[in-house]
Amino acid sequence: METIYQLDKMTETIAKRAIKKGYSLKNQAAPEALFVRSSTVPNELITPELAVIARSGTGTNTIDLARCTQNGTVVFNSPGVNANAVKELVLSNLFLSVRPLFKAIQTVADLQEELTSGQIEAEEVLKVAEERRKEVIGEELAGKTIGILGLGEIGERVAKACHQLGMEVLGYARTKKAAHDYEQVSDLQMLLTESDFVVVLLPLSQETKGMLNRQTIQQMKKNAVLMNFGRGEIVEEAAVLEALAKNQLKQYITDFPSAGLIGQPKVLCYPHIGGSTTNALEKGDHVVFDRMHAYLRAGTIQESVNFPHAELPFLAPYRLALFYHDKPGAFAPLLRIISEAGVDIDNLASERKAGVAYTLIDLDETNETLLQDLQQQIQQETAIIRARLIKNSRTNE
């Protein structure tokens, strides 16, 4: 029975499914699998026993991918499953940026005290409220320009929705897109200069870290709204606070709070809720659990962050799953060890990715002791990072 360590809790439906399939959900040392959402994965959990990390969500900046690869730990994520949730959060904040809804709600709530004190009668509430609505006059999104940094699935959805709202949409990405609902620009300065709203939807990388800094923020329209739903480090905090203090920006909205941002005027912070809907959480958990399960029980790899893709029908009694450095002559010694053990190969599949290779070898052999010894011999080869022996349970899961 494999153990799944939950750094973040799975949704109840997926947790029950994991238990039904024979997994133990215990946060104990040296687990075979680890489930995580946005928490940072401690390096001490990346042990020789850890075969897989399932990240329910997109970003993997909280996982030491290089260490995982060196350890032979496959990492799965679920890109795209929270796209609609983030899109709707972006749209919600666009509306909040042009319509002072919170102030309007408070304006009506304040009438309670006047009702209680007798300053106004019950039948006067609507009339008095309407008299005060001039204090909460807003604007419309139609006709305004939004600049979207990052045209992945979330960016594409935001672009389409904003286009349907009558907004002018500019999109910025490193690769050319088949744009339909926006104009793609390669000049970041042009996007910043022309946009009333700038929405950051980029992943964090060396290229995007600090992209919105003092120099680039100064290129933005006066009274523009900057929204960061990508990663906190993409926007330089000191630069944005300086721009707000000088009235160069109207507002900063971010899903990545910090001590320096909390309580600041013109700053609206959320507790990283971009993909936090029941729909998105369960969908993400479902995707990564299925990939984790397929890897642990059959060695199958579908859309891993750091391992090559590899699928092979599991029809033999046992399977070797070999992850090794892709260098000339690395595979031949592995075949020789299998041949010298007198074990027949029933089928195999092999793929490469970024200097590493992953091979599934189905073995026509039922002597588990012999195969365990074979696995240990292969694990001693210098090119091998991880060698797993998987027994075909032949269950109809």
Side-chain angles (χ1 to χ4, degrees):
M1 176 184 289
E2 298 96 336
T3 298
I4 301 176
Y5 188 114
Q6 298 181 87
L7 268 179
D8 300 296
K9 289 288 186 182
M10 296 177 179
T11 54
E12 185 176 352
T13 300
I14 304 303
K16 288 180 178 178
R17 188 157 169 253
I19 293 170
K20 185 177 180 180
K21 287 187 176 291
Y23 294 98
S24 171
L25 304 182
K26 293 182 180 179
N27 288 8
Q28 62 185 39
E32 289 81 17
L34 188 148
F35 175 88
V36 64
R37 286 202 178 89
S38 55
S39 294
T40 298
V41 175
N43 282 339
E44 54 266 28
L45 284 177
I46 306 176
T47 65
E49 292 78 13
L50 186 66
V52 57
I53 294 177
R55 156 66 163 117
S56 182
T58 303
T60 55
N61 58 299
T62 58
I63 303 170
D64 190 336
L65 290 178
R67 190 183 185 102
C68 288
T69 301
Q70 293 166 6
N71 191 58
T73 301
V74 63
V75 178
F76 296 109
N77 65 346
S78 56
V81 296
N82 65 352
N84 191 66
V86 179
K87 178 204 77 174
E88 291 186 359
L89 183 59
V90 172
L91 294 178
S92 299
N93 282 278
L94 285 172
F95 288 118
L96 287 175
S97 297
V98 293
R99 301 296 297 271
L101 299 180
F102 291 140
K103 184 177 179 181
I105 293 169
Q106 189 60 49
T107 296
V108 176
D110 289 343
L111 296 179
Q112 179 62 48
E113 185 176 337
E114 296 178 44
L115 274 169
T116 304
S117 65
Q119 297 178 57
I120 60 173
E121 300 296 329
E123 59 272 14
E124 296 180 294
V125 168
L126 177 59
K127 177 185 175 183
V128 174
E130 289 178 339
E131 289 173 351
R132 298 178 185 179
R133 64 187 172 189
K134 61 180 178 294
E135 301 172 10
V136 288
I137 295 175
E139 299 179 42
E140 296 180 16
L141 292 172
K144 289 185 167 53
T145 300
I146 181 169
I148 302 172
L149 304 185
L151 296 173
E153 188 168 354
I154 299 172
E156 293 273 2
R157 292 190 184 210
V158 171
K160 183 175 183 178
C162 290
H163 174 75
Q164 292 172 339
L165 288 170
M167 301 182 74
E168 297 293 326
V169 184
L170 301 177
Y172 177 87
R174 288 168 289 180
T175 56
K176 183 67 178 175
K177 305 286 183 175
H180 299 288
D181 302 306
Y182 56 87
E183 176 188 351
Q184 185 173 350
V185 299
S186 58
D187 186 345
L188 178 60
Q189 181 175 351
M190 172 190 168
L191 181 145
L192 296 176
T193 301
E194 297 188 10
S195 298
D196 300 296
F197 304 90
V198 174
V199 181
V200 180
L201 296 171
L202 292 163
L204 180 64
S205 66
Q206 290 299 318
E207 292 75 24
T208 63
K209 185 176 182 180
M211 176 181 282
L212 276 299
N213 50 44
R214 178 177 293 177
Q215 179 182 355
T216 50
I217 289 175
Q218 286 178 350
Q219 295 167 358
M220 294 177 64
K221 273 187 176 182
K222 187 176 181 181
N223 290 324
V225 176
L226 175 59
M227 301 184 187
N228 185 5
F229 293 100
R231 280 294 181 268
E233 296 89 340
I234 296 173
V235 177
E236 287 190 359
E237 187 176 297
V240 78
L241 290 175
E242 179 182 335
L244 290 169
K246 294 181 177 179
N247 294 319
Q248 293 171 343
L249 286 180
K250 176 183 177 182
Q251 190 178 28
Y252 179 50
I253 300 172
T254 179
D255 207 16
F256 311 98
S258 71
L261 294 175
I262 295 174
Q264 289 286 344
K266 304 179 186 178
V267 175
L268 184 59
C269 293
Y270 296 109
H272 199 178
I273 61 170
S276 295
T277 65
T278 54
N279 314 70
L281 292 175
E282 186 156 318
K283 192 184 300 182
D285 290 7
H286 177 82
V287 168
V288 295
F289 175 76
D290 279 355
R291 291 174 181 171
M292 173 195 291
H293 177 63
Y295 177 70
L296 288 173
R297 299 295 169 84
T300 301
I301 296 182
Q302 298 175 331
E303 299 184 41
S304 165
V305 178
N306 61 333
F307 273 42
H309 181 94
E311 293 187 76
L312 184 68
F314 196 179
L315 304 176
Y318 286 89
R319 166 175 287 180
L320 282 171
L322 309 178
F323 185 55
Y324 53 97
H325 297 289
D326 184 20
K327 56 185 181 181
F331 189 53
L334 311 181
L335 288 178
R336 186 183 67 250
I337 292 172
I338 296 172
S339 176
E340 290 176 353
V343 176
D344 290 332
I345 293 176
D346 184 65
N347 203 356
L348 67 81
S350 187
E351 296 292 341
R352 293 168 169 80
K353 179 178 181 177
V356 293
Y358 184 69
T359 301
L360 296 174
I361 304 176
D362 284 359
L363 306 171
D364 189 12
E365 177 61 59
T366 58
N367 187 331
E368 187 166 344
T369 302
L370 171 65
L371 294 177
Q372 287 174 343
D373 182 62
L374 178 65
Q375 174 200 4
Q376 291 301 315
Q377 289 183 60
I378 290 176
Q379 185 67 64
Q380 300 307 312
E381 288 293 308
T382 56
I384 284 288
I385 301 171
R386 184 185 290 262
R388 297 176 61 223
L389 177 65
I390 306 170
K391 184 177 182 179
N392 192 340
S393 60
R394 301 185 185 279
T395 57
N396 295 317
E397 294 182 324

